[in-house]
Short mmCIF file of all heavy atoms in Angstrom, two decimals:
data_model
loop_
_atom_site.label_atom_id
_atom_site.label_comp_id
_atom_site.label_asym_id
_atom_site.label_seq_id
_atom_site.Cartn_x
_atom_site.Cartn_y
_atom_site.Cartn_z
N MET A 1 93.51 124.65 98.76
CA MET A 1 94.27 125.88 98.69
C MET A 1 93.37 127.02 98.19
O MET A 1 93.43 128.11 98.72
CB MET A 1 95.48 125.69 97.80
CG MET A 1 96.45 126.81 97.85
SD MET A 1 97.97 126.34 97.00
CE MET A 1 98.96 127.73 97.39
N LEU A 2 92.57 126.71 97.15
CA LEU A 2 91.65 127.73 96.64
C LEU A 2 90.64 128.14 97.70
O LEU A 2 90.29 129.32 97.81
CB LEU A 2 90.92 127.20 95.40
CG LEU A 2 91.78 127.04 94.15
CD1 LEU A 2 90.97 126.37 93.04
CD2 LEU A 2 92.31 128.38 93.69
N HIS A 3 90.18 127.19 98.49
CA HIS A 3 89.24 127.49 99.57
C HIS A 3 89.89 128.46 100.56
O HIS A 3 89.27 129.44 100.98
CB HIS A 3 88.83 126.20 100.28
CG HIS A 3 87.97 126.40 101.47
ND1 HIS A 3 86.64 126.77 101.36
CD2 HIS A 3 88.23 126.31 102.79
CE1 HIS A 3 86.14 126.89 102.57
NE2 HIS A 3 87.07 126.61 103.46
N GLU A 4 91.12 128.20 100.92
CA GLU A 4 91.81 129.07 101.87
C GLU A 4 92.04 130.45 101.29
O GLU A 4 91.92 131.46 101.98
CB GLU A 4 93.15 128.43 102.28
CG GLU A 4 93.88 129.18 103.37
CD GLU A 4 93.14 129.21 104.70
OE1 GLU A 4 92.39 128.26 105.01
OE2 GLU A 4 93.31 130.20 105.45
N LEU A 5 92.37 130.54 100.00
CA LEU A 5 92.59 131.83 99.36
C LEU A 5 91.30 132.66 99.30
O LEU A 5 91.35 133.88 99.23
CB LEU A 5 93.15 131.66 97.95
CG LEU A 5 94.61 131.21 97.88
CD1 LEU A 5 94.99 130.87 96.43
CD2 LEU A 5 95.54 132.28 98.42
N GLY A 6 90.15 131.99 99.34
CA GLY A 6 88.87 132.69 99.31
C GLY A 6 88.47 133.29 100.64
O GLY A 6 87.52 134.07 100.71
N ASN A 7 89.17 132.93 101.71
CA ASN A 7 88.86 133.49 103.04
C ASN A 7 89.32 134.94 103.12
O ASN A 7 90.28 135.34 102.47
CB ASN A 7 89.54 132.67 104.14
CG ASN A 7 88.93 131.31 104.29
OD1 ASN A 7 87.78 131.08 103.95
ND2 ASN A 7 89.71 130.37 104.82
N ASP A 8 88.66 135.70 103.99
CA ASP A 8 89.04 137.10 104.19
C ASP A 8 90.41 137.22 104.85
O ASP A 8 91.18 138.12 104.56
CB ASP A 8 87.99 137.83 105.04
CG ASP A 8 86.68 138.01 104.29
OD1 ASP A 8 86.70 138.03 103.04
OD2 ASP A 8 85.64 138.13 104.95
N VAL A 9 90.68 136.31 105.77
CA VAL A 9 91.95 136.32 106.50
C VAL A 9 92.77 135.12 106.04
O VAL A 9 92.32 133.98 106.17
CB VAL A 9 91.72 136.26 108.02
CG1 VAL A 9 93.04 136.21 108.77
CG2 VAL A 9 90.88 137.44 108.48
N LEU A 10 93.94 135.37 105.48
CA LEU A 10 94.78 134.28 104.98
C LEU A 10 95.62 133.69 106.11
O LEU A 10 96.20 134.43 106.91
CB LEU A 10 95.70 134.77 103.86
CG LEU A 10 95.01 135.20 102.58
CD1 LEU A 10 96.03 135.69 101.57
CD2 LEU A 10 94.20 134.07 101.98
N ASN A 11 95.67 132.39 106.16
CA ASN A 11 96.48 131.68 107.15
C ASN A 11 97.61 131.01 106.39
O ASN A 11 97.40 130.05 105.66
CB ASN A 11 95.62 130.65 107.89
CG ASN A 11 96.39 129.94 108.96
OD1 ASN A 11 97.55 129.59 108.80
ND2 ASN A 11 95.72 129.68 110.07
N SER A 12 98.82 131.52 106.54
CA SER A 12 99.95 131.02 105.76
C SER A 12 100.25 129.56 106.08
O SER A 12 100.70 128.82 105.20
CB SER A 12 101.19 131.88 105.97
OG SER A 12 101.60 131.86 107.32
N ASP A 13 100.00 129.12 107.31
CA ASP A 13 100.23 127.72 107.65
C ASP A 13 99.29 126.80 106.87
O ASP A 13 99.70 125.75 106.36
CB ASP A 13 100.04 127.48 109.15
CG ASP A 13 101.16 128.09 109.98
OD1 ASP A 13 102.28 128.29 109.43
OD2 ASP A 13 100.93 128.37 111.17
N ASN A 14 98.01 127.19 106.77
CA ASN A 14 97.05 126.40 105.99
C ASN A 14 97.42 126.38 104.52
O ASN A 14 97.32 125.34 103.85
CB ASN A 14 95.64 126.95 106.17
CG ASN A 14 95.06 126.64 107.53
OD1 ASN A 14 95.61 125.84 108.29
ND2 ASN A 14 93.96 127.28 107.86
N LEU A 15 97.83 127.54 103.99
CA LEU A 15 98.23 127.59 102.58
C LEU A 15 99.45 126.71 102.33
O LEU A 15 99.50 125.97 101.34
CB LEU A 15 98.54 129.03 102.17
CG LEU A 15 97.35 129.96 102.01
CD1 LEU A 15 97.82 131.40 101.79
CD2 LEU A 15 96.47 129.50 100.85
N LYS A 16 100.41 126.77 103.23
CA LYS A 16 101.62 125.95 103.08
C LYS A 16 101.27 124.47 103.12
O LYS A 16 101.74 123.69 102.29
CB LYS A 16 102.62 126.29 104.19
CG LYS A 16 103.90 125.51 104.09
CD LYS A 16 104.87 125.88 105.21
CE LYS A 16 106.12 125.03 105.10
NZ LYS A 16 107.02 125.23 106.21
N ARG A 17 100.43 124.07 104.06
CA ARG A 17 100.03 122.67 104.18
C ARG A 17 99.28 122.20 102.93
O ARG A 17 99.51 121.09 102.41
CB ARG A 17 99.15 122.49 105.42
CG ARG A 17 99.54 121.32 106.25
CD ARG A 17 98.76 121.11 107.53
NE ARG A 17 97.50 121.80 107.71
CZ ARG A 17 97.33 122.85 108.52
NH1 ARG A 17 98.34 123.33 109.21
NH2 ARG A 17 96.16 123.40 108.65
N ALA A 18 98.41 123.05 102.40
CA ALA A 18 97.66 122.71 101.20
C ALA A 18 98.59 122.57 100.00
O ALA A 18 98.47 121.64 99.21
CB ALA A 18 96.58 123.76 100.92
N LEU A 19 99.54 123.49 99.87
CA LEU A 19 100.49 123.43 98.77
C LEU A 19 101.37 122.19 98.88
O LEU A 19 101.64 121.51 97.88
CB LEU A 19 101.35 124.69 98.72
CG LEU A 19 102.33 124.80 97.56
CD1 LEU A 19 101.60 124.68 96.23
CD2 LEU A 19 103.08 126.11 97.63
N GLU A 20 101.82 121.88 100.09
CA GLU A 20 102.61 120.66 100.29
C GLU A 20 101.82 119.42 99.90
O GLU A 20 102.36 118.49 99.31
CB GLU A 20 103.08 120.57 101.74
CG GLU A 20 104.17 121.56 102.09
CD GLU A 20 104.47 121.63 103.58
OE1 GLU A 20 103.67 121.10 104.40
OE2 GLU A 20 105.51 122.22 103.93
N GLY A 21 100.52 119.42 100.23
CA GLY A 21 99.65 118.30 99.84
C GLY A 21 99.53 118.19 98.33
O GLY A 21 99.56 117.08 97.78
N CYS A 22 99.42 119.32 97.64
CA CYS A 22 99.35 119.31 96.18
C CYS A 22 100.63 118.75 95.57
O CYS A 22 100.58 117.94 94.64
CB CYS A 22 99.10 120.73 95.64
SG CYS A 22 97.47 121.38 96.01
N VAL A 23 101.76 119.18 96.09
CA VAL A 23 103.04 118.70 95.59
C VAL A 23 103.17 117.20 95.82
O VAL A 23 103.59 116.45 94.93
CB VAL A 23 104.21 119.47 96.26
CG1 VAL A 23 105.55 118.82 95.97
CG2 VAL A 23 104.21 120.93 95.81
N GLU A 24 102.79 116.75 97.01
CA GLU A 24 102.87 115.32 97.33
C GLU A 24 102.00 114.50 96.39
O GLU A 24 102.42 113.46 95.88
CB GLU A 24 102.43 115.10 98.78
CG GLU A 24 102.51 113.66 99.23
CD GLU A 24 102.04 113.50 100.66
OE1 GLU A 24 102.41 114.33 101.51
OE2 GLU A 24 101.31 112.53 100.92
N GLN A 25 100.78 114.97 96.13
CA GLN A 25 99.88 114.26 95.23
C GLN A 25 100.41 114.24 93.80
O GLN A 25 100.30 113.22 93.10
CB GLN A 25 98.47 114.88 95.27
CG GLN A 25 97.77 114.74 96.59
CD GLN A 25 97.49 113.30 96.96
OE1 GLN A 25 97.26 112.46 96.11
NE2 GLN A 25 97.51 113.01 98.24
N ALA A 26 101.00 115.34 93.35
CA ALA A 26 101.58 115.39 92.00
C ALA A 26 102.75 114.43 91.89
O ALA A 26 102.90 113.73 90.88
CB ALA A 26 102.02 116.82 91.67
N GLN A 27 103.58 114.36 92.93
CA GLN A 27 104.71 113.43 92.91
C GLN A 27 104.23 111.99 92.93
O GLN A 27 104.77 111.14 92.22
CB GLN A 27 105.64 113.70 94.10
CG GLN A 27 106.41 115.00 93.95
CD GLN A 27 107.21 115.36 95.19
OE1 GLN A 27 106.92 114.90 96.29
NE2 GLN A 27 108.21 116.22 95.02
N ARG A 28 103.19 111.71 93.71
CA ARG A 28 102.63 110.36 93.75
C ARG A 28 102.05 109.97 92.38
O ARG A 28 102.24 108.85 91.92
CB ARG A 28 101.54 110.28 94.82
CG ARG A 28 101.00 108.88 95.02
CD ARG A 28 99.91 108.81 96.06
NE ARG A 28 100.38 109.32 97.32
CZ ARG A 28 99.59 109.64 98.33
NH1 ARG A 28 98.28 109.55 98.20
NH2 ARG A 28 100.07 110.09 99.46
N ALA A 29 101.37 110.90 91.74
CA ALA A 29 100.80 110.64 90.42
C ALA A 29 101.91 110.37 89.41
O ALA A 29 101.82 109.46 88.58
CB ALA A 29 99.93 111.81 89.96
N GLY A 30 102.97 111.17 89.45
CA GLY A 30 104.09 110.97 88.55
C GLY A 30 104.75 109.62 88.76
O GLY A 30 105.08 108.91 87.79
N HIS A 31 104.92 109.22 90.02
CA HIS A 31 105.51 107.92 90.34
C HIS A 31 104.63 106.79 89.80
O HIS A 31 105.13 105.82 89.21
CB HIS A 31 105.70 107.79 91.85
CG HIS A 31 106.30 106.50 92.27
ND1 HIS A 31 107.63 106.20 92.07
CD2 HIS A 31 105.75 105.42 92.88
CE1 HIS A 31 107.87 104.99 92.53
NE2 HIS A 31 106.75 104.50 93.03
N SER A 32 103.31 106.93 89.98
CA SER A 32 102.37 105.91 89.49
C SER A 32 102.43 105.80 87.97
O SER A 32 102.39 104.69 87.42
CB SER A 32 100.95 106.24 89.92
OG SER A 32 100.83 106.18 91.32
N LEU A 33 102.55 106.94 87.29
CA LEU A 33 102.65 106.91 85.82
C LEU A 33 103.93 106.22 85.37
O LEU A 33 103.91 105.43 84.42
CB LEU A 33 102.58 108.33 85.25
CG LEU A 33 101.21 108.97 85.29
CD1 LEU A 33 101.29 110.42 84.83
CD2 LEU A 33 100.22 108.21 84.42
N HIS A 34 105.03 106.49 86.06
CA HIS A 34 106.29 105.82 85.72
C HIS A 34 106.18 104.31 85.93
O HIS A 34 106.66 103.53 85.09
CB HIS A 34 107.45 106.39 86.54
CG HIS A 34 107.89 107.75 86.09
ND1 HIS A 34 108.56 107.96 84.91
CD2 HIS A 34 107.73 108.96 86.67
CE1 HIS A 34 108.80 109.25 84.77
NE2 HIS A 34 108.30 109.89 85.83
N GLU A 35 105.54 103.90 87.02
CA GLU A 35 105.35 102.47 87.27
C GLU A 35 104.46 101.85 86.20
O GLU A 35 104.74 100.74 85.72
CB GLU A 35 104.71 102.25 88.64
CG GLU A 35 105.65 102.46 89.80
CD GLU A 35 104.98 102.19 91.13
OE1 GLU A 35 103.73 102.16 91.20
OE2 GLU A 35 105.72 102.02 92.11
N LEU A 36 103.41 102.55 85.80
CA LEU A 36 102.51 102.04 84.77
C LEU A 36 103.24 101.89 83.45
O LEU A 36 103.11 100.86 82.76
CB LEU A 36 101.30 102.97 84.62
CG LEU A 36 100.30 102.61 83.52
CD1 LEU A 36 99.71 101.23 83.76
CD2 LEU A 36 99.21 103.66 83.44
N LEU A 37 104.01 102.89 83.07
CA LEU A 37 104.76 102.81 81.81
C LEU A 37 105.76 101.66 81.83
O LEU A 37 105.90 100.93 80.84
CB LEU A 37 105.47 104.13 81.53
CG LEU A 37 104.56 105.29 81.14
CD1 LEU A 37 105.36 106.59 81.06
CD2 LEU A 37 103.87 105.01 79.82
N ALA A 38 106.44 101.48 82.94
CA ALA A 38 107.39 100.37 83.06
C ALA A 38 106.66 99.04 82.94
O ALA A 38 107.13 98.12 82.26
CB ALA A 38 108.14 100.46 84.39
N PHE A 39 105.51 98.93 83.58
CA PHE A 39 104.72 97.70 83.50
C PHE A 39 104.26 97.41 82.08
O PHE A 39 104.34 96.28 81.60
CB PHE A 39 103.51 97.80 84.44
CG PHE A 39 102.56 96.65 84.32
CD1 PHE A 39 102.86 95.43 84.90
CD2 PHE A 39 101.37 96.79 83.63
CE1 PHE A 39 101.98 94.36 84.80
CE2 PHE A 39 100.48 95.73 83.52
CZ PHE A 39 100.79 94.51 84.11
N LEU A 40 103.79 98.44 81.39
CA LEU A 40 103.29 98.27 80.03
C LEU A 40 104.39 97.87 79.06
O LEU A 40 104.15 97.19 78.07
CB LEU A 40 102.60 99.55 79.55
CG LEU A 40 101.28 99.88 80.26
CD1 LEU A 40 100.76 101.24 79.80
CD2 LEU A 40 100.24 98.79 80.03
N GLN A 41 105.61 98.27 79.34
CA GLN A 41 106.73 97.93 78.47
C GLN A 41 107.24 96.51 78.71
O GLN A 41 108.01 95.99 77.92
CB GLN A 41 107.87 98.94 78.66
CG GLN A 41 107.50 100.31 78.15
CD GLN A 41 108.55 101.37 78.49
OE1 GLN A 41 109.50 101.10 79.21
NE2 GLN A 41 108.36 102.57 77.98
N GLU A 42 106.81 95.87 79.81
CA GLU A 42 107.31 94.54 80.15
C GLU A 42 106.76 93.44 79.26
O GLU A 42 107.38 92.40 79.11
CB GLU A 42 106.99 94.20 81.61
CG GLU A 42 107.86 94.95 82.58
CD GLU A 42 107.51 94.62 84.02
OE1 GLU A 42 106.61 93.78 84.27
OE2 GLU A 42 108.14 95.21 84.91
N GLY A 43 105.59 93.59 78.71
CA GLY A 43 105.07 92.51 77.88
C GLY A 43 103.58 92.58 77.71
O GLY A 43 102.98 93.65 77.65
N GLU A 44 102.97 91.39 77.68
CA GLU A 44 101.55 91.25 77.39
C GLU A 44 100.69 91.88 78.48
O GLU A 44 100.95 91.72 79.67
CB GLU A 44 101.20 89.76 77.28
CG GLU A 44 99.77 89.52 76.86
CD GLU A 44 99.48 88.03 76.71
OE1 GLU A 44 100.38 87.30 76.31
OE2 GLU A 44 98.35 87.65 76.99
N LEU A 45 99.69 92.59 78.06
CA LEU A 45 98.78 93.27 78.97
C LEU A 45 97.49 92.48 79.08
O LEU A 45 96.87 92.13 78.08
CB LEU A 45 98.49 94.68 78.46
CG LEU A 45 97.55 95.54 79.27
CD1 LEU A 45 98.16 95.81 80.66
CD2 LEU A 45 97.27 96.85 78.57
N VAL A 46 97.09 92.15 80.30
CA VAL A 46 95.83 91.46 80.54
C VAL A 46 94.82 92.51 80.99
O VAL A 46 95.10 93.29 81.89
CB VAL A 46 96.00 90.37 81.63
CG1 VAL A 46 94.67 89.70 81.93
CG2 VAL A 46 97.05 89.36 81.21
N THR A 47 93.66 92.53 80.36
CA THR A 47 92.65 93.53 80.68
C THR A 47 91.50 92.90 81.46
O THR A 47 91.27 91.69 81.38
CB THR A 47 92.10 94.20 79.42
OG1 THR A 47 91.48 93.21 78.60
CG2 THR A 47 93.19 94.90 78.64
N GLU A 48 90.79 93.72 82.18
CA GLU A 48 89.59 93.28 82.88
C GLU A 48 88.61 94.43 82.92
O GLU A 48 88.99 95.60 82.84
CB GLU A 48 89.92 92.80 84.30
CG GLU A 48 90.41 93.88 85.22
CD GLU A 48 90.73 93.35 86.61
OE1 GLU A 48 91.47 92.37 86.72
OE2 GLU A 48 90.22 93.95 87.57
N ARG A 49 87.34 94.11 83.05
CA ARG A 49 86.31 95.14 83.14
C ARG A 49 86.39 95.84 84.49
O ARG A 49 86.66 95.21 85.51
CB ARG A 49 84.92 94.53 82.96
CG ARG A 49 84.65 94.08 81.55
CD ARG A 49 83.20 93.63 81.45
NE ARG A 49 82.87 93.37 80.07
CZ ARG A 49 82.31 94.27 79.25
NH1 ARG A 49 82.02 95.46 79.70
NH2 ARG A 49 82.04 93.96 78.01
N SER A 50 86.13 97.15 84.47
CA SER A 50 86.12 97.94 85.69
C SER A 50 84.92 98.87 85.66
O SER A 50 84.48 99.30 84.59
CB SER A 50 87.39 98.78 85.81
OG SER A 50 88.52 97.96 85.92
N ASN A 51 84.43 99.19 86.83
CA ASN A 51 83.33 100.14 86.94
C ASN A 51 83.95 101.52 87.17
O ASN A 51 84.49 101.80 88.24
CB ASN A 51 82.42 99.76 88.10
CG ASN A 51 81.21 100.66 88.20
OD1 ASN A 51 81.28 101.85 87.91
ND2 ASN A 51 80.09 100.09 88.61
N LEU A 52 83.89 102.37 86.15
CA LEU A 52 84.51 103.70 86.22
C LEU A 52 83.92 104.54 87.35
O LEU A 52 84.64 105.28 88.01
CB LEU A 52 84.38 104.41 84.87
CG LEU A 52 85.11 105.73 84.73
CD1 LEU A 52 86.59 105.56 85.02
CD2 LEU A 52 84.91 106.30 83.34
N ASN A 53 82.62 104.41 87.61
CA ASN A 53 82.00 105.16 88.70
C ASN A 53 82.62 104.79 90.04
O ASN A 53 82.88 105.66 90.87
CB ASN A 53 80.49 104.93 88.74
CG ASN A 53 79.78 105.65 87.63
OD1 ASN A 53 80.22 106.71 87.19
ND2 ASN A 53 78.68 105.08 87.17
N ASP A 54 82.87 103.49 90.26
CA ASP A 54 83.50 103.06 91.51
C ASP A 54 84.91 103.62 91.63
O ASP A 54 85.33 104.05 92.70
CB ASP A 54 83.56 101.52 91.59
CG ASP A 54 82.19 100.91 91.81
OD1 ASP A 54 81.25 101.64 92.22
OD2 ASP A 54 82.06 99.69 91.57
N ILE A 55 85.65 103.61 90.54
CA ILE A 55 87.02 104.13 90.55
C ILE A 55 87.03 105.62 90.88
O ILE A 55 87.82 106.09 91.70
CB ILE A 55 87.72 103.86 89.20
CG1 ILE A 55 87.90 102.35 89.01
CG2 ILE A 55 89.05 104.59 89.10
CD1 ILE A 55 88.33 101.95 87.61
N ILE A 56 86.13 106.38 90.26
CA ILE A 56 86.05 107.82 90.51
C ILE A 56 85.62 108.10 91.95
O ILE A 56 86.19 108.96 92.62
CB ILE A 56 85.09 108.50 89.50
CG1 ILE A 56 85.71 108.45 88.10
CG2 ILE A 56 84.78 109.93 89.91
CD1 ILE A 56 84.79 108.88 86.99
N ASN A 57 84.64 107.36 92.44
CA ASN A 57 84.20 107.55 93.84
C ASN A 57 85.33 107.23 94.81
O ASN A 57 85.51 107.93 95.81
CB ASN A 57 82.97 106.70 94.14
CG ASN A 57 81.71 107.29 93.55
OD1 ASN A 57 81.58 108.50 93.44
ND2 ASN A 57 80.78 106.43 93.15
N ASP A 58 86.10 106.17 94.54
CA ASP A 58 87.25 105.85 95.39
C ASP A 58 88.26 106.99 95.38
O ASP A 58 88.80 107.37 96.42
CB ASP A 58 87.94 104.56 94.93
CG ASP A 58 87.12 103.31 95.24
OD1 ASP A 58 86.17 103.40 96.06
OD2 ASP A 58 87.44 102.24 94.67
N ALA A 59 88.54 107.53 94.19
CA ALA A 59 89.49 108.64 94.08
C ALA A 59 88.99 109.86 94.84
O ALA A 59 89.76 110.52 95.55
CB ALA A 59 89.74 108.99 92.61
N LEU A 60 87.71 110.18 94.75
CA LEU A 60 87.15 111.33 95.46
C LEU A 60 87.20 111.11 96.97
O LEU A 60 87.45 112.05 97.73
CB LEU A 60 85.71 111.60 95.01
CG LEU A 60 85.56 112.16 93.60
CD1 LEU A 60 84.09 112.25 93.22
CD2 LEU A 60 86.24 113.50 93.46
N ASN A 61 86.99 109.87 97.42
CA ASN A 61 87.09 109.58 98.85
C ASN A 61 88.52 109.76 99.34
O ASN A 61 88.74 110.26 100.44
CB ASN A 61 86.60 108.17 99.15
CG ASN A 61 85.09 108.07 99.10
OD1 ASN A 61 84.40 109.04 99.40
ND2 ASN A 61 84.59 106.92 98.72
N ILE A 62 89.50 109.36 98.53
CA ILE A 62 90.90 109.54 98.90
C ILE A 62 91.21 111.03 99.01
O ILE A 62 91.82 111.49 99.97
CB ILE A 62 91.83 108.86 97.88
CG1 ILE A 62 91.71 107.34 98.01
CG2 ILE A 62 93.28 109.30 98.09
CD1 ILE A 62 92.37 106.58 96.87
N ILE A 63 90.77 111.81 98.03
CA ILE A 63 91.01 113.25 98.05
C ILE A 63 90.31 113.89 99.24
O ILE A 63 90.87 114.74 99.92
CB ILE A 63 90.51 113.90 96.73
CG1 ILE A 63 91.36 113.46 95.56
CG2 ILE A 63 90.53 115.42 96.85
CD1 ILE A 63 90.78 113.83 94.21
N GLY A 64 89.10 113.46 99.53
CA GLY A 64 88.32 114.03 100.62
C GLY A 64 88.89 113.73 101.98
O GLY A 64 88.64 114.45 102.93
N ASN A 65 89.70 112.70 102.09
CA ASN A 65 90.25 112.31 103.39
C ASN A 65 91.72 112.70 103.54
O ASN A 65 92.42 112.13 104.36
CB ASN A 65 90.09 110.80 103.58
CG ASN A 65 88.65 110.40 103.71
OD1 ASN A 65 87.88 111.08 104.37
ND2 ASN A 65 88.26 109.30 103.09
N ASP A 66 92.18 113.68 102.78
CA ASP A 66 93.60 114.06 102.85
C ASP A 66 93.87 115.14 103.90
O ASP A 66 94.98 115.60 104.06
CB ASP A 66 94.14 114.51 101.50
CG ASP A 66 93.55 115.84 101.03
OD1 ASP A 66 92.67 116.38 101.71
OD2 ASP A 66 93.98 116.32 99.97
N GLY A 67 92.84 115.56 104.64
CA GLY A 67 93.02 116.54 105.71
C GLY A 67 92.90 117.99 105.25
O GLY A 67 93.10 118.91 106.03
N HIS A 68 92.58 118.23 103.99
CA HIS A 68 92.51 119.60 103.48
C HIS A 68 91.11 119.97 103.05
O HIS A 68 90.91 120.87 102.27
CB HIS A 68 93.48 119.77 102.30
CG HIS A 68 94.90 119.52 102.66
ND1 HIS A 68 95.59 120.34 103.53
CD2 HIS A 68 95.73 118.53 102.32
CE1 HIS A 68 96.82 119.87 103.68
NE2 HIS A 68 96.92 118.78 102.97
N GLY A 69 90.12 119.27 103.52
CA GLY A 69 88.73 119.59 103.16
C GLY A 69 88.25 118.68 102.06
O GLY A 69 89.02 118.06 101.35
N TYR A 70 86.95 118.55 101.93
CA TYR A 70 86.36 117.62 100.97
C TYR A 70 86.15 118.27 99.62
O TYR A 70 85.73 119.42 99.52
CB TYR A 70 85.04 117.07 101.51
CG TYR A 70 84.56 115.88 100.74
CD1 TYR A 70 85.16 114.63 100.95
CD2 TYR A 70 83.58 115.99 99.79
CE1 TYR A 70 84.75 113.53 100.22
CE2 TYR A 70 83.17 114.89 99.06
CZ TYR A 70 83.76 113.66 99.28
OH TYR A 70 83.36 112.57 98.56
N PHE A 71 86.44 117.54 98.57
CA PHE A 71 86.26 118.00 97.19
C PHE A 71 84.82 117.79 96.79
O PHE A 71 84.29 116.69 96.92
CB PHE A 71 87.19 117.19 96.28
CG PHE A 71 87.02 117.50 94.83
CD1 PHE A 71 87.59 118.62 94.27
CD2 PHE A 71 86.28 116.67 94.00
CE1 PHE A 71 87.44 118.92 92.94
CE2 PHE A 71 86.13 116.94 92.66
CZ PHE A 71 86.70 118.07 92.13
N LEU A 72 84.17 118.82 96.33
CA LEU A 72 82.78 118.72 95.89
C LEU A 72 82.73 118.76 94.37
O LEU A 72 83.20 119.69 93.76
CB LEU A 72 81.94 119.86 96.47
CG LEU A 72 81.86 119.92 97.98
CD1 LEU A 72 81.10 121.19 98.40
CD2 LEU A 72 81.17 118.70 98.52
N SER A 73 82.13 117.74 93.79
CA SER A 73 82.01 117.72 92.33
C SER A 73 80.80 118.55 91.93
O SER A 73 79.88 118.76 92.70
CB SER A 73 81.86 116.30 91.81
OG SER A 73 80.62 115.76 92.22
N SER A 74 80.81 119.01 90.69
CA SER A 74 79.68 119.82 90.21
C SER A 74 78.62 118.97 89.54
O SER A 74 77.65 119.47 89.04
CB SER A 74 80.21 120.87 89.22
OG SER A 74 80.83 120.23 88.12
N ALA A 75 78.82 117.64 89.51
CA ALA A 75 77.86 116.74 88.86
C ALA A 75 76.69 116.44 89.75
O ALA A 75 76.69 116.50 90.91
CB ALA A 75 78.57 115.44 88.47
#
């Protein structure tokens, strides 16, 4: 959405699609948090080691493939 707002000519369809994508992602995140909280309240939690870099790269790939342009990190 920020990329589209930076263009000289605004395309309301692109802005609407980008905003709808943001809303969808926020709703998905909220749903995931509710599921996580429900799971954590059920009982014993089993932990395992994870590679945070792999998790972040997976998340960036998901964001990059949502049809609204690729997210570039500053790192």
Side-chain angles (χ1 to χ4, degrees):
M1 190 170 187
L2 290 174
H3 175 73
E4 186 65 30
L5 287 171
N7 291 335
D8 291 335
V9 178
L10 294 179
N11 182 321
S12 62
D13 289 336
N14 287 348
L15 287 172
K16 181 180 177 186
R17 226 177 16 254
L19 184 57
E20 288 170 346
C22 291
V23 169
E24 182 181 317
Q25 294 296 328
Q27 289 173 338
R28 186 181 303 165
H31 180 74
S32 295
L33 287 174
H34 286 288
E35 286 181 343
L36 177 60
L37 289 173
F39 174 77
L40 291 175
Q41 292 173 353
E42 287 179 2
E44 185 177 327
L45 179 64
V46 177
T47 61
E48 66 180 52
R49 289 186 172 266
S50 296
N51 184 326
L52 187 56
N53 286 329
D54 289 343
I55 294 169
I56 291 171
N57 284 328
D58 288 345
L60 290 174
N61 285 330
I62 290 168
I63 292 169
N65 292 320
D66 69 356
H68 299 293
Y70 194 76
F71 176 79
L72 299 174
S73 68
S74 60

